Amino acid sequence: MLGYTEPRIFTKPLRKLTPKTSLGYACVEYAKEILGESLYPWQEWFLIHSLEITGNLATNWKFRFRTVLLEVSRQNGKTKVSKVIASFFLNVLGVQNVLGTSLSVDKAEEVWEAVIADQERVPDLKKEISQVARANGGKKLVLTGQRVYKVSAPTRRAGRGDSNDLVMLDEIREHRDWETWSAAVASTNAKPNGIVFCFSNAGDPDSIVLRQVRGQAIAQIEGGECANDFGGEVDGNNLGLFEWSAPEGAETDDLEALAQANPSLGYGLLTERALLSNRATFPDAKFRSECMCQQVETLLPEPFPEGAWKAGIDERSKITPESELYFGIDMSQDRKWVTIAVCGLREDGNYHVEVVERKIGIEWAVDWFKDRAPKYGKINLAFQGRGCPVSSLAEQICTIEGVERFSLEGPDLGNGWNRFYDSIAASTPIKDGETPRGGVKTFHLPQPVLDAPGRTCQLRNLGGGIQLPDRRKSPDDIAPLMACAMAFGAMTRIAKEEEKKVYQSSYASGSSLMFI
């Protein structure tokens, strides 16, 4: 079986791609005729599509993209692609500054050394070499005309002090914060035709840069908007995504799916036998990330029973107008984000939870409740009373007239979480021969900021059958989940199961969305 030439997900070209509308054709020709490289079909396809231009090559042109993200499974030839791009930019386009980073300086140097090897091997290119510096901390290739190719470790200093035409960020799945991205990408700002190439296989829950960049690109492809859930700034208007990956839900032994994620399959040394051998020895999540290029939400256990959180997603779920409302508030571990959620009853007697607001800062949350308390008469506010970042803020909000305080701590905190857990678990899909869990259910809208911790939150055992979310060990901000849990815990502490009914309220009018 041969790997797919065209990626499963990609940014469509603005017009038909020809040698006049894409510099990728010239890059492919350069690779073959000058460097003597034999490119796989997918590599040619990628170069042609990623180097699309706007304008006219004969007069005035620019690269369509300022940021390009290539996602493909491991061992498919990303290194060769990045080497060809760097050499083409230096020797054909004649750019002044190229910067490369990877997991470490050593990994970045692999591409750098490959470019140097080609430069020294090809007579016409060798003439252009002015200097090759290999001293620690100052490694660079200098060509005539002060064209420079440097490498850097992935740190907050990457690219600072330079103005780069081309930046290549390898393995951005390993970027756990925005420091390297901010430093390196900003180094292209003073270049009207600057471009950043990002290379990676699929990420994990800690890959915040990759997840945000990919999410922004997919939102652009689908014509929607992407929530900034990971704290970084990404310009989606000049962003191109090219992702060779297996479809969501594909089985790990599906050869067709493997061919979609491994475009080099059958063209070189990558074989079906090797992939299936990995399948037999890798954990499922690792195999999907490394060999199927699937975005694995977590390599850790999920907080709720398998399938329960997903089964509780209901796009049409809403709170009945007559239900009393309970709000929950929580703050991220780094005290940066504050989240407000709501809980209420549905017409079917089950519960609905929803994140109604999430922003950076503190004062906005105080104003949020000040604006609503006089208008609606009373607001029930629930929060974790001790041992969490939000406690002092919540106590301040509870001094506002009309805000009724529900502080969950001690046994109330553990019992409230357990009730919330059981209501989520009640939606667990039933397999043949199993007995339904039964009990009241909690449903929620498909909200990425809530779905992430709903699948990745880690729990800690307190003994006696009590578990609570672990803020430190959870890969995503669990504040949205905790805000929902606190609202649910307060509401169910008041509305006992045997007395459950629809409550009259003077301030509810249709759904929690009225409070946004």
Side-chain angles (χ1 to χ4, degrees), residues 178 208 211-216 219 224-232 234 337 358 447-450:
W178 290 92
I208 64 169
R211 293 172 71 182
Q212 184 66 42
V213 174
R214 179 179 182 270
Q216 187 70 63
E225 294 184 359
C226 174
N228 186 356
D229 293 333
F230 304 103
V234 182
W337 294 87
R358 181 176 185 257
Q447 294 181 294
V449 71
L450 177 59

Side-chain angles (χ1 to χ4, degrees), residues 3 8 26 46 79 98 152 204 233 302 383 410 437 470 497:
R8 187 174 69 88
F46 170 72
T79 300
V98 174
S152 171
D204 58 39
E233 295 298 327
E302 295 188 19
F383 57 96
R437 288 175 175 264
D470 192 320
E497 187 68 23

Side-chain angles (χ1 to χ4, degrees), residues 178 205 208 211-212 226-232 327-342 354-366 368-369 372 390 393 447-454 456 471 474-484 512-513 515-516:
W178 290 92
I208 64 169
R211 293 172 71 182
Q212 184 66 42
C226 174
N228 186 356
D229 293 333
F230 304 103
F327 289 88
I329 190 169
D330 205 85
M331 182 185 292
S332 61
Q333 181 73 2
D334 61 6
R335 302 187 64 83
K336 183 177 182 181
W337 294 87
V338 174
T339 302
I340 299 172
V342 71
E354 177 182 345
V355 172
V356 294
E357 195 70 87
R358 181 176 185 257
K359 291 182 180 179
I360 292 176
I362 293 176
E363 287 303 319
W364 74 265
V366 177
W368 196 94
F369 285 96
R372 287 160 178 78
V390 81
L393 171 62
Q447 294 181 294
V449 71
L450 177 59
D451 290 335
T456 66
R471 297 175 187 274
S474 297
D476 290 292
D477 176 17
I478 68 169
L481 184 68
M482 283 298 291
C484 290
S512 59
L513 294 180
F515 287 88
I516 294 179

Side-chain angles (χ1 to χ4, degrees), residues 285-448:
K286 278 289 187 183
F287 183 78
R288 291 184 179 278
S289 175
E290 304 278 359
C291 300
M292 300 183 77
C293 201
Q294 291 181 324
Q295 306 299 314
V296 178
E297 288 299 332
T298 180
L299 304 180
L300 301 170
E302 295 188 19
F304 303 106
E306 183 178 357
W309 184 262
K310 183 177 181 180
I313 295 176
D314 182 356
E315 294 183 355
R316 295 176 295 180
S317 183
K318 64 180 181 179
I319 298 172
T320 186
E322 294 78 20
S323 173
E324 189 168 12
L325 301 178
Y326 281 77
F327 289 88
I329 190 169
D330 205 85
M331 182 185 292
S332 61
Q333 181 73 2
D334 61 6
R335 302 187 64 83
K336 183 177 182 181
W337 294 87
V338 174
T339 302
I340 299 172
V342 71
C343 177
L345 283 168
R346 296 165 25 127
E347 287 186 354
D348 61 6
N350 290 305
Y351 289 89
H352 170 98
V353 293
E354 177 182 345
V355 172
V356 294
E357 195 70 87
R358 181 176 185 257
K359 291 182 180 179
I360 292 176
I362 293 176
E363 287 303 319
W364 74 265
V366 177
D367 294 339
W368 196 94
F369 285 96
K370 282 183 177 179
D371 291 343
R372 287 160 178 78
K375 183 176 180 180
Y376 302 112
K378 184 187 75 169
I379 292 181
N380 302 310
L381 180 61
F383 57 96
Q384 182 176 341
R386 295 180 182 176
C388 72
V390 81
S391 300
S392 58
L393 171 62
E395 293 290 0
Q396 178 185 352
I397 293 173
C398 288
T399 63
I400 300 171
E401 185 177 355
V403 176
E404 186 166 347
R405 177 179 181 275
F406 290 88
S407 173
L408 300 185
E409 53 191 73
D412 282 341
L413 177 63
N415 292 335
W417 170 261
N418 279 354
R419 290 195 299 275
F420 181 69
Y421 179 98
D422 290 340
S423 70
I424 297 294
S427 294
T428 304
I430 304 301
K431 299 178 181 179
D432 292 341
E434 291 184 343
T435 302
R437 288 175 175 264
V440 66
K441 297 180 179 180
T442 292
F443 293 92
H444 49 94
L445 301 175
Q447 294 181 294

